[in-house]
Amino acid sequence: MIWTMVNSLAFLGATGAALYWFYRVVAHRYAYVRLGKPIDGKELAAAAKEALGRGLKTFAAETFGQRKLLQDRRSGAMHVVIFYGFIVLQFGALDLIVRGLFGAPLPLPAYPAFELLQETTVALVLLAMGYAAYRRYGEKLKRLKRGWKPSLVVWFIAALMASVLFTLAFDRLRHGEPAAWTAPVSSAIASSMAGLGELGATVGFYVSWWAHLLILLAFLVYVPQSKHFHIITAPINILLKKTAPPGRLTKLDLEDETAESFGVGKVEDFAQKQLLDLFACVECGRCTNVCPASNTGKLLSPMHMIAKLRDHLVEKGAAVTSKSPWVPWTAAASAGGAHMTAAAAPGPLAEGVVADIGPTMAAQQAAWTKSPEADPREVPLVGGVMTEEEIWACTTCRNCEDQCPVDNEHVDKIVDLRRHLVLMEGRMPHDGQRAMTNIERQGNPWGISRNDRAKWIAELAAPPGEPEDPLLRVPTVKERPDFEWLFFVGSMGAYDNRTKKVSRAVVRLLNEAGVSFAVLGGEEKGSGDTPRRLGNEMLFQQLATENIALFEKYNVRRIVTACPHTYNTLKNEYPEFGLGADVEVAHHTELLDSLVAQGRLKPTHAVEERVTYHDSCYLGRYNEVYEPPRRLPRGSPGAELAEMERNRANGMCCGAGGGRMWMEETQGKRVNVARVEQALILRPTIVASACPYCLAMMEDGAKLLDVDESLRTRDVAELLEASVFGPGSGSGSASGK
């Protein structure tokens, strides 16, 4: 009787202390998140409405269906077992607590079935933890961190599972229960210790029971102080994920006279939702594993970016709020400096290796060190936490976000950091700044005269004295005011000699199909994608306003473009700046695909080529356009389409996005070289693309690898042109150089 009372009081004391500490940890981290800019009420309402509108399908698929985790089938299956195992074992924990306090199991109907489920689940979780340890220390997956911290949870869970089995086994012994097939593991353990006697079994039971309880409560307190806080924050993060199109960056109100700064110059400048991302991170490394910068020996690692920002937020938040980040320890016991990024450069990729995140992972681990003298309130975000090299290395391809199982948004954070550097400090790599200056002065990144924007049209005209080719006629909006489609050519299509051939192919195909189209000619301006991704929001908004005014002037209702970056900008970002909701924006592959389907274009000529298609990030991941650019070459007689290992949603970036098209790579392997090497594995004769940036990068990569004689690069419009008019009929035909 006395023991029962003491046991119960001790249980209440231990549980109460653990719950209090858990509350303190969560409350303190919530206080750190509140340092960020408040979540806009309208955005929060929109997120809730969107979640309800889609019937919580996305939330359910990602949280309970583990959809993104299962993209890696083996580790995904392991996580499913652990996830659902812990849900089942919460009932098992309650059963054990009742056994220890009242001497009997939960009064459940069909208890033997529950007993079998519990022991089976424990066994499966133990197997899953064994596999987790093997993945980290046996296979040594490069995306996974190693050390005592990542290993701690393995020991926690393994010990917790063992304590469940031993508690059940000793309980059988002390009550003299016979072995049962519904409790195979605990029965086997009990049988091996049959000679203990009732006293030994009782002592063993309470030792195991208290071990289970203390491990469970310790885990409860440990979870929010570690990366495993994602158990709580990830579902919230997924529920509050951005409802706007993935390709839309946050709009800056540049006319806000109360704004002290623009972009993010300190961690508090991030929105609260962005700070929640930091605590939702699982540190699974899936983002870094697919990042083109990490794969080619640059310092940027999306996982380390989130982890470093989280560490900085915790250290600075504790200093600002005077709320200790660690309990039950005191702030004084855990004080002492702050983490900072030391100068580091990844080592070179091994000879013959196409892509490898190993050098980046090692460099990041070595660079993130704690300085005892540093004051976290004085550590600069740019230069102290994130280096400028990391910030400018991002291609904004969004592969990190697509792979993230908790829907963290990496690209917005990097662009916000760039915005502060550009708008507040006037800092940008020299070659990027040169492109910005050229766009400001001449409307294109090369600085070629504005007056030459329509020169490509004149180049299509027939020489004097020769009849005009009706298929090469390019009317302007003034010459054909009743046009149906505006062909937005873009700077690449108008100025770049290689991309002009794509513009020519599109023009021929549209004329052949009888499409009523027109161009803006010399009045056209760049879409603003490059300035916006490089952080020059002011220049982007100026270009957007001027282009929208032109669209309204000429009553534009349908726009087609051959550039995915322009396509994404017009379709997803211009509506925030006044583009009418009734204006349709299409990529040239979508329009051409529909024209083929309608029979208005007939690809009848054989194109005897082995083609591999390289997905554009801004067409694929940003806008989920995967099939139209594949159907075009696939529909040509004789063409064989082969898929690279990384394709569609997991396609690797060419290296040109996020303004990287206009900046040189000074570290590691060139991204486009790595991508061409991936293509060469298939032994294709053509690498097809549907983006002028991708086309240029793939062509340059082939030249750098000295394979441009055997591996040609073509836009899918050029392949369709060859099939419709015959090989050799176009300047960029499949059979020509």
Side-chain angles (χ1 to χ4, degrees), residues 513 515 558 590-602:
V515 175
R558 307 180 87 181
E590 294 177 302
L591 179 56
L592 295 176
D593 181 54
S594 69
L595 294 174
V596 171
Q598 295 168 29
R600 295 169 65 179
L601 287 175
K602 299 179 179 179

Side-chain angles (χ1 to χ4, degrees), residues 387-444:
T387 66
E388 289 193 44
E389 178 188 344
E390 291 172 277
I391 294 169
W392 295 112
C394 178
T395 66
T396 69
C397 71
R398 279 197 69 251
N399 207 353
C400 51
E401 295 182 9
D402 181 74
Q403 290 289 316
C404 180
V406 297
D407 284 337
N408 276 346
E409 295 162 359
H410 309 73
V411 172
D412 284 6
K413 294 178 183 63
I414 287 178
V415 172
D416 281 340
L417 292 166
R418 289 180 176 183
R419 284 170 167 174
H420 184 83
L421 285 173
V422 173
L423 298 176
M424 304 308 299
E425 300 184 21
R427 288 155 61 187
M428 181 186 291
H430 175 71
D431 37 10
Q433 183 57 59
R434 182 174 54 211
M436 290 300 96
T437 301
N438 288 335
I439 293 173
E440 289 174 357
R441 293 176 179 175
Q442 297 295 344
N444 64 84

Side-chain angles (χ1 to χ4, degrees), residues 5 38 63 65 91 106 132 161 353 362 378 413-414 474 533 551 560 586 659 674 681 698 706 722:
M5 184 178 297
T63 303
F91 298 98
L106 280 173
M161 296 302 103
V353 173
E378 302 299 327
K413 294 178 183 63
I414 287 178
V474 187
R533 266 69 199 171
F551 298 159
V560 62
I681 295 172
M698 293 297 98
D706 198 25

Side-chain angles (χ1 to χ4, degrees), residues 112-344:
F114 169 76
E115 190 175 45
L116 178 61
L117 176 62
Q118 183 176 206
E119 293 209 8
T120 303
T121 302
V122 168
L124 289 173
V125 170
L126 279 171
L127 288 172
M129 295 316 300
Y131 182 62
Y134 171 72
R135 293 274 277 177
R136 195 177 296 270
Y137 297 103
E139 289 187 37
K140 295 185 178 179
L141 293 183
K142 292 181 180 180
R143 65 178 173 86
L144 298 176
K145 294 180 179 180
R146 279 171 283 280
W148 71 268
K149 280 188 178 180
S151 304
L152 191 57
V153 70
V154 175
W155 289 107
F156 253 128
I157 297 176
L160 188 64
M161 296 302 103
S163 69
V164 171
L165 295 175
F166 277 96
T167 303
L168 291 172
F170 283 120
D171 199 41
R172 301 189 75 83
L173 282 176
R174 70 174 183 150
H175 287 105
E177 296 179 11
W181 67 270
T182 56
V185 183
S186 63
S187 293
I189 296 173
S191 298
S192 68
M193 297 184 294
L196 282 178
E198 184 179 347
L199 178 61
T202 301
V203 171
F205 169 79
Y206 280 106
V207 169
S208 299
W209 187 85
W210 271 101
H212 174 266
L213 179 66
L214 292 176
I215 293 170
L216 186 65
L217 295 178
F219 195 55
L220 176 72
V221 177
Y222 169 73
V223 159
Q225 300 183 82
S226 70
K227 68 175 184 176
H228 303 286
F229 197 18
H230 75 267
I231 296 172
I232 301 167
T233 54
I236 301 171
N237 207 50
I238 293 170
L239 191 62
L240 295 179
K241 68 183 293 186
K242 186 167 62 177
T243 58
R248 179 184 297 170
L249 293 174
T250 304
K251 179 182 179 181
L252 288 186
D253 184 1
L254 298 174
E255 297 180 359
D256 182 4
E257 297 180 356
T258 64
E260 297 180 1
S261 66
F262 296 108
V264 170
K266 54 186 184 295
V267 75
E268 304 97 299
D269 291 336
F270 282 118
Q272 290 176 1
K273 168 59 176 68
Q274 290 178 302
L275 297 183
L276 180 63
D277 279 3
L278 311 184
F279 288 124
C281 179
V282 189
E283 293 187 41
C284 62
R286 285 170 172 80
C287 52
T288 296
N289 200 47
V290 297
C291 174
S294 306
N295 271 270
T296 54
K298 280 75 172 175
L299 186 58
L300 174 64
S301 162
M303 176 183 69
H304 288 91
M305 177 187 77
I306 297 293
K308 291 191 298 185
L309 288 173
R310 181 200 61 214
D311 290 350
H312 177 62
L313 174 63
V314 168
E315 292 169 349
K316 188 172 186 180
V320 171
T321 65
S322 299
K323 296 181 184 295
S324 169
W326 317 115
V327 296
W329 302 278
T330 64
S334 60
H339 282 86
M340 296 180 67
T341 295

